[in-house]
Amino acid sequence: MQQTSKPSLIDIRHDGHIHTFLCNHAIGNMEDYVQAAIQKGLARMSFLEHLESGIVYFKRNWLEDSHFAEYFREGERLKKAYQGQIAIELGAETGYNPDAVQGLRAKLNQYPFERLGLSCHYYWHGSQHWNLLSLHQDSLDYFVRLGPDKVLADYLKHLTRAVGELDCTVLCHLDAGLRHLPGLRFQDSHREQVLHLLEAAKARGMKLEINTSGFDRRGYPYPAEWIVREALKMGIPLTAGSDAHSPQEVGRHFAQLPSWLAALQA
Ligand SMILES: [Zn+2]
Ligand SMILES: [Zn+2]
């Protein structure tokens, strides 16, 4: 039988997850990121700006209409200016809010997004949202009081619902919820939920993001190896994202991905 070479599991010349100053917690303008991506030798880059609806939080961590107007205006200019050097996509990282599904759908229909990531950053409790990805001690203390097992179960339940309710194409940093909570462990029931979530994503034809910000935060990407193994078994395609919040983070650790993936398949 003729030996065919194994197709590559991931395209490391495409960074599919890039933010800019427009979200209010990243630095650098869009052009800074385009130039950084070209310098890194990327062929394609996707801005994936934060989109939220109905979140009650003390700080804006996402784009409102005026910012999206600027985003598309500048994005279209950059596409033309850098044509032939790099392909640029204008997308959004959709933050799921179970209480604002109609609002989210309306925003997704309002703009011509070329790539839609799916995340869940906020958890409603009491009279406000709490940031599941926050480093702040008061948030972490609050989640400890609520019970991390329950919060993690809700986080995975929300993501699974989101896959069914929103038409997104990439499942982002799947196991990043409560990532800064020391000693957080996935129980068997959480693992069951993850398998269920992957099955839902597969049925939707979504890709799974390998988010390389994890290399900086915990030494390996999001999601954990066992989750990526399960995704590969199910035939879910992978896509690389740096989750850059500063231009020098574009394409971070992408060169490590092929060997990291080869090792977890061995
Ligand atoms: Zn962000
Ligand atoms: Zn992001």
Side-chain angles (χ1 to χ4, degrees), residues 20-22 28-35 38 45 47 70-90:
T20 74
F21 80 103
L22 289 165
N29 63 36
M30 294 176 82
E31 190 155 14
D32 296 333
Y33 286 85
V34 172
Q35 289 175 351
I38 292 169
M45 64 184 294
F47 289 105
E70 183 179 350
Y71 176 59
F72 281 101
R73 204 165 41 236
E74 175 66 354
E76 290 303 328
R77 182 188 77 79
L78 292 169
K79 280 187 193 193
K80 288 196 194 85
Y82 290 91
Q83 203 170 19
Q85 293 183 71
I86 190 161
I88 300 171
E89 280 183 344
L90 303 174

Side-chain angles (χ1 to χ4, degrees), residues 19-258:
H19 296 277
T20 74
F21 80 103
L22 289 165
C23 71
N24 208 29
H25 62 271
I27 54 166
N29 63 36
M30 294 176 82
E31 190 155 14
D32 296 333
Y33 286 85
V34 172
Q35 289 175 351
I38 292 169
Q39 262 178 16
K40 291 262 170 99
L42 297 186
R44 186 172 158 209
M45 64 184 294
S46 310
F47 289 105
L48 213 65
E49 288 284 23
H50 291 288
L51 181 152
E52 303 279 349
S53 181
I55 299 300
V56 181
Y57 198 61
F58 71 95
K59 177 177 179 252
R60 175 179 72 81
N61 275 327
W62 51 85
L63 279 67
E64 299 289 6
D65 284 346
S66 61
H67 313 109
F68 275 120
E70 183 179 350
Y71 176 59
F72 281 101
R73 204 165 41 236
E74 175 66 354
E76 290 303 328
R77 182 188 77 79
L78 292 169
K79 280 187 193 193
K80 288 196 194 85
Y82 290 91
Q83 203 170 19
Q85 293 183 71
I86 190 161
I88 300 171
E89 280 183 344
L90 303 174
E93 180 176 8
T94 314
Y96 184 63
N97 175 358
D99 299 316
V101 174
Q102 291 308 328
L104 285 167
R105 284 193 184 131
K107 280 178 192 258
L108 296 182
N109 287 329
Q110 188 181 340
Y111 302 105
F113 292 119
E114 296 165 297
R115 180 180 175 91
L116 287 176
L118 182 63
S119 300
C120 180
H121 290 94
Y122 294 96
Y123 187 78
W124 175 265
H125 198 267
S127 56
Q128 67 165 92
H129 282 98
W130 296 82
N131 188 342
L132 289 156
L133 278 70
S134 173
L135 262 171
H136 291 128
Q137 198 57 44
D138 57 344
S139 288
L140 297 175
D141 290 345
Y142 196 82
F143 286 129
V144 168
R145 284 201 297 279
L146 286 181
D149 283 351
K150 156 94 169 94
V151 176
L152 184 58
D154 284 344
Y155 167 77
L156 294 167
K157 184 175 80 185
H158 289 167
L159 268 183
T160 308
R161 273 171 59 180
V163 166
E165 292 176 2
L166 300 174
D167 208 2
C168 293
T169 48
V170 180
L171 186 54
C172 296
H173 50 57
L174 187 157
D175 64 347
L178 295 183
R179 68 184 174 197
H180 297 298
L181 202 67
L184 182 76
R185 300 205 30 174
F186 273 63
Q187 311 296 334
D188 286 349
S189 59
H190 297 130
R191 287 173 183 261
E192 290 283 319
Q193 284 186 283
V194 168
L195 295 180
H196 192 63
L197 169 55
L198 289 175
E199 278 160 13
K202 163 82 178 166
R204 262 283 193 188
M206 293 176 79
K207 293 182 178 177
L208 179 69
E209 177 189 78
I210 304 300
N211 186 304
T212 56
S213 71
F215 278 112
D216 289 334
R217 295 208 170 88
R218 61 183 193 180
Y220 56 93
Y222 301 101
E225 291 182 10
W226 71 270
I227 298 175
V228 181
R229 263 192 218 106
E230 293 295 340
L232 288 171
K233 269 192 244 165
M234 292 182 197
I236 297 174
L238 307 179
T239 179
S242 68
D243 215 343
H245 284 71
S246 69
Q248 70 266 25
E249 290 174 348
V250 171
R252 60 176 142 178
H253 307 295
F254 277 20
Q256 295 177 57
L257 284 179

